[in-house]
């Protein structure tokens, strides 16, 4: 695909979850499908007709097994936050239908016990997981998502501190 063709594509609607434990550390999972040391917060697509908050709680459970009653939703981003995929990935992901994703992010406080977390799900996305301070999380994120993560952390900073 040419750069002009890619730029003409829409963004895929998606949600992201910044899950903080009681110590203020953030849940991060190492992607199972990457050869890089690629970490991210849970995220996933919004289905047609689905409310973003409902999508966030569904994706949270699908990726981490955390039930909705083990989190408190504290905030959501004011706007959708877009990011572009590197051009070489556009044709490989989502059948080349999207240039990247526009994400609505939700800040969640995890109130449960770590034993509730199980990343070995039906459609497993993470090889391993951990709780990280914000600065360390940013250093582990793939470069094309780093600006998005910085914005999300900045927007939610007051609620986490």
């Amino acid at each position: 695909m040419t750069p002009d063709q890619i730029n003409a594509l829409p963004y895929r609607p998606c949600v992201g979850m910044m899950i903080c434990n009681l110590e203020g550390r953030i849940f991060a999972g190492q992607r199972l499908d990457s050869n890089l040391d690629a970490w991210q917060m849970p995220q996933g697509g919004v289905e047609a007709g689905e409310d973003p908050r409902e999508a966030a709680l569904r994706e949270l459970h699908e990726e981490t097994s955390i039930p909705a009653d083990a989190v408190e939703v504290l905030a959501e981003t004011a706007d959708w936050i877009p990011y572009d995929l590197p051009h070489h990935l556009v044709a490989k992901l989502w059948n080349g239908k999207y240039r990247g994703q526009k994400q609505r992010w939700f800040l969640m406080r995890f109130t449960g016990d770590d034993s509730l977390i199980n990343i070995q799900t039906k459609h497993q996305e993470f090889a391993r997981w951990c709780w990280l301070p914000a600065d360390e999380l940013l250093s582990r994120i793939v470069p094309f998502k780093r600006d998005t993560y910085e914005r999300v952390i900045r927007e939610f900073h007051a609620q986490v501190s």
Side-chain angles (χ1 to χ4, degrees), residues 89-128:
L89 291 178
V90 171
K92 294 178 184 178
L93 298 176
W94 311 301
N95 298 317
K97 292 179 8 183
Y98 302 104
R99 68 187 286 179
Q101 298 192 98
K102 63 177 184 178
Q103 300 175 310
R104 179 67 63 141
W105 282 86
F106 293 83
L107 173 63
M108 300 179 181
R109 170 94 52 218
F110 179 61
T111 58
D113 183 82
D114 283 1
S115 64
L116 292 174
I117 301 170
N118 178 8
I119 59 170
Q120 294 178 345
T121 60
K122 183 177 180 180
H123 301 288
Q124 186 172 350
E125 295 210 16
F126 302 124
R128 57 191 175 127

Side-chain angles (χ1 to χ4, degrees), residues 14 16 23 25 27 30 40 57-58 60 71 79 81 88 101 103 106-107 112 118-119 121 125 127 129 131 138 148 157:
C14 180
E23 290 78 40
R25 291 179 175 258
F27 179 96
Q30 183 184 30
Q40 70 178 42
L57 293 170
R58 176 185 53 75
L60 174 70
V71 295
D79 296 307
I81 301 172
H88 72 277
Q101 298 192 98
Q103 300 175 310
F106 293 83
L107 173 63
N118 178 8
I119 59 170
T121 60
E125 295 210 16
W129 70 273
W131 296 107
L138 287 173
T148 298
H157 178 75

